[in-house]
Amino acid sequence: MKKTPSTATIANILVLAFAVLINPLCPLTPYRPSTHPCIPDKVEIRYTRPLSPDSTLQLIRQAKEQLNEMNYYFKVHNVTDEGYNQVARYRTYLLDKVSYLSKVYEDSAQQRVKSKTVHIPAKKRPYIAVKLPYGYWRAGHFYLSPLTGKAIVCDLQGRVVSAFFKADTVVSAIRIDSKGIYRGQMDTLLQARGQGTYEANNGEYHEGFWSDNKPHGFGFHSSPSHSIQVGEWKAGRFLGERMKYTAERIYGIDVSRHQHEKGRKRYAIDWHKVRITSLGTRHNAGGQTFPVSFVYIKSTEGTTIRNRYFLSDYINAKKQGIRVGAYHFFSLKSSATAQANYFVNHTLFRKGDFPPVMDVEPTDGQIKKIGGDDVLMERIRTFMSIVERRTGMRPILYVSQNFIKQHMANASDIKQKYNVWIARYGQYRPDVKLVYWQLSADGRVEGINGPVDINVFNGYQVQYEEFKQMGFYK
């Protein structure tokens, strides 16, 4: 191996010497922090910009819209649900905010806020540091040691962050940008990570866990423009709320001829024994079993199909004190009027029964074939109107969550007028207002052969009793 010339070593030394000359902070150079010769008294101008009447009313309106959405949340949740206490605290904050802003709006004197000048002696100035990548300035001194205490620093996007450090690690921080204020934990790159809150200028609020400046983990989001979202988040996207399956919940099932027929074999339902033993493979109830509080039985489909087991299931379920309802499977091959009349003419409705249900499950291709979403929505309106007029009960619409998102954008009147029963087979409850959630199609019920659709009422006993009396739930 060829020996390295000694001139290389000399060149390296010359480069290092030159670096020390132009950069006194080089690690090879002893560092002596300089002291600022004089710290003058600080003149601070505190100025509060008065809110205009229109701005005040806008803030009040935003807060009240969020409170209205929270009323629904508290109606269908209780203190055992994850996130309930956090939402309750934010609700208290909004109530106080509305009260304060209402007083500001009413008191004309509050609309004329003057600026105020304050002189703070140097000895009373707080020791707020200015954090840099390799040290920090504080009270005229520069330090290379790890920082412990309050400091201001810029993140990678140039935003100013006010933080409390412990050995150079951010313990908590406040970051204000053009869109709002973040308060909480951050990582070494000054990105939101860990627990924190974000209050946006447009009235939106998020509280929970963060990662890489995005909601990630459990949290809740409140907005004046949509319903409150409480549950799991991933990289800023809301996944849904996990339901706790307890004995306080109200569970039900829906059945058809499929629970009676498997090929050539025929099975009876032992309504005396029915009890839910499994909520399905995706829902862990911890070994608990639950009573069946209600059952929906398929009665008709289109204008030619009837469930031969409807009457016997109807009578025997009612004998066991189970609330009963009937549903019609809607077809796109015949008119809504003909199907509504066929359903009513071949179904038993008695006092105390749950509202009838319109089961709508078309494919995208079938919807396109009849003329699109608007045509289908008009058929739904026709069917529901006729059934309501003839039975005296307001029907329930059964659809999937994807159906609502993809096909009901122009059907707010349907969602407002009728209760919705949502099918969503997964870990998370539907992200829409509803009366029932069909959470699985592979549940198990003692007394019934094979898999069974499992449903849960969206609320607790108080709300369920109200629904039984009124037949409508919002």
Side-chain angles (χ1 to χ4, degrees):
M1 182 179 291
K2 199 171 183 179
K3 195 173 182 180
T4 305
S6 58
T7 52
T9 304
I10 297 172
N12 288 342
I13 293 174
L14 291 174
V15 170
L16 285 174
F18 180 72
V20 169
L21 180 65
I22 64 172
N23 183 13
L25 295 183
C26 175
L28 297 181
T29 304
Y31 175 70
R32 298 180 179 83
S34 59
T35 303
H36 197 283
C38 177
I39 303 177
D41 288 351
K42 182 180 180 181
V43 178
E44 182 177 293
I45 299 178
R46 297 177 181 177
Y47 176 71
T48 304
R49 184 177 64 181
L51 286 170
S52 68
D54 288 344
S55 297
T56 305
L57 286 177
Q58 175 67 13
L59 291 173
I60 293 173
R61 184 162 49 250
Q62 288 177 349
K64 286 185 174 180
E65 287 170 351
Q66 289 174 282
L67 287 168
N68 287 336
E69 291 295 337
M70 287 184 179
N71 290 337
Y72 174 78
Y73 173 84
F74 287 114
K75 184 174 182 178
V76 299
H77 293 79
N78 70 14
V79 70
T80 64
D81 293 309
E82 189 176 11
Y84 183 93
N85 290 329
Q86 292 97 311
V87 178
R89 284 198 301 269
Y90 185 60
R91 180 177 181 271
T92 300
Y93 164 76
L94 287 177
L95 289 171
D96 292 341
K97 182 178 180 179
V98 170
S99 176
Y100 168 75
L101 290 173
S102 297
K103 291 178 181 178
V104 169
Y105 181 73
E106 294 171 2
D107 187 359
S108 59
Q110 294 289 339
Q111 302 299 319
R112 295 187 297 274
V113 180
K114 297 180 179 179
S115 61
K116 185 179 181 180
T117 303
V118 180
H119 294 273
I120 303 176
K123 62 181 180 180
K124 292 185 178 181
R125 286 173 57 185
Y127 276 23
I128 305 296
V130 178
K131 184 78 170 66
L132 299 175
Y134 302 104
Y136 62 94
W137 282 95
R138 182 158 59 188
H141 295 265
F142 186 81
Y143 300 87
L144 287 173
S145 58
L147 171 64
T148 294
K150 297 179 180 179
I152 57 173
V153 60
C154 283
D155 65 7
L156 297 176
Q157 287 75 41
R159 297 171 296 190
V160 176
V161 177
S162 174
F164 182 84
F165 288 82
K166 185 175 181 180
D168 263 3
T169 300
V170 179
V171 177
S172 61
I174 299 175
R175 182 185 65 213
I176 303 176
D177 56 32
S178 61
K179 296 182 179 180
I181 303 174
Y182 172 83
R183 296 179 175 90
Q185 297 174 319
M186 288 185 169
D187 60 18
T188 55
L189 295 177
L190 299 174
Q191 296 189 99
R193 185 182 297 273
Q195 289 183 292
T197 65
Y198 187 78
E199 190 168 5
N201 298 333
N202 63 1
E204 294 189 6
Y205 177 84
H206 187 95
E207 177 178 332
F209 288 89
W210 298 72
S211 180
D212 298 329
N213 281 332
K214 296 178 181 179
H216 190 86
F218 184 83
F220 82 88
H221 188 92
S222 177
S223 170
S225 60
H226 61 72
S227 59
I228 187 169
Q229 296 172 313
V230 184
E232 297 292 327
W233 296 73
K234 184 176 182 179
R237 184 171 67 90
F238 182 60
L239 299 179
E241 178 185 0
R242 297 180 190 270
M243 179 179 285
K244 287 188 176 181
Y245 304 110
T246 67
E248 294 178 296
R249 292 284 182 188
I250 313 298
Y251 302 92
I253 60 176
D254 58 271
V255 297
S256 65
R257 71 173 181 84
H258 297 293
Q259 277 67 47
H260 293 274
E261 301 178 0
K262 298 291 186 296
R264 294 184 179 182
K265 293 184 179 181
R266 301 292 182 266
Y267 302 91
I269 294 178
D270 190 344
W271 290 100
H272 178 71
K273 291 183 177 180
V274 292
R275 187 175 181 86
I276 298 170
T277 57
S278 170
L279 298 176
T281 55
R282 297 184 180 182
H283 305 276
N284 183 11
Q288 300 178 87
T289 64
F290 307 101
V292 175
S293 298
F294 62 91
V295 58
Y296 271 90
I297 307 168
K298 181 177 179 180
S299 174
T300 55
E301 178 178 340
T303 57
T304 59
I305 300 174
R306 296 171 60 184
N307 176 16
R308 69 185 72 177
Y309 303 98
F310 173 80
L311 187 59
S312 62
D313 284 342
Y314 177 95
I315 294 172
N316 290 317
K318 293 197 74 167
K319 284 182 179 179
Q320 301 304 318
I322 300 173
R323 285 284 181 146
V324 177
Y327 74 90
H328 171 84
F329 190 91
F330 192 71
S331 170
L332 301 188
K333 295 180 180 180
S334 53
S335 74
T337 300
Q339 291 188 65
N341 289 321
Y342 185 76
F343 174 48
V344 176
N345 291 340
H346 296 93
T347 304
L348 187 61
F349 298 101
R350 288 181 178 173
K351 185 178 181 180
D353 287 352
F354 272 178
V357 169
M358 180 186 189
D359 182 350
V360 181
E361 304 181 45
T363 64
D364 291 344
Q366 291 171 333
I367 296 174
K368 185 177 181 180
K369 189 175 181 179
I370 67 168
D373 295 341
D374 291 341
V375 175
L376 177 56
M377 293 306 113
E378 195 57 40
R379 292 189 184 187
I380 291 175
R381 293 184 185 97
T382 299
F383 182 96
M384 302 286 265
S385 177
I386 293 173
V387 172
E388 181 176 6
R389 175 170 50 81
R390 292 196 58 188
T391 65
M393 293 184 285
R394 190 177 300 187
I396 295 171
L397 178 64
Y398 171 97
V399 291
S400 69
Q401 176 162 301
N402 285 336
F403 181 91
I404 283 188
K405 292 181 176 180
Q406 295 175 12
H407 303 292
M408 298 189 70
N410 298 323
S412 59
D413 60 313
I414 295 176
K415 291 182 286 186
Q416 186 66 33
K417 183 176 181 180
Y418 299 105
N419 282 151
V420 179
W421 179 359
I422 298 294
R424 187 185 190 190
Y425 305 148
Q427 304 175 53
Y428 305 108
R429 66 193 299 171
D431 186 24
V432 295
K433 293 180 179 179
L434 70 158
V435 62
Y436 303 127
W437 170 27
Q438 187 178 90
L439 53 92
S440 72
D442 60 349
R444 295 290 172 173
V445 178
E446 186 178 355
I448 301 180
N449 182 267
V452 183
D453 293 342
I454 305 297
N455 305 277
V456 61
F457 176 77
N458 191 28
Y460 290 92
Q461 193 64 44
V462 173
Q463 293 78 28
Y464 185 64
E465 293 299 326
E466 176 187 330
F467 177 69
K468 288 196 296 186
Q469 295 294 322
M470 303 295 293
F472 184 70
Y473 184 63
K474 281 294 185 183

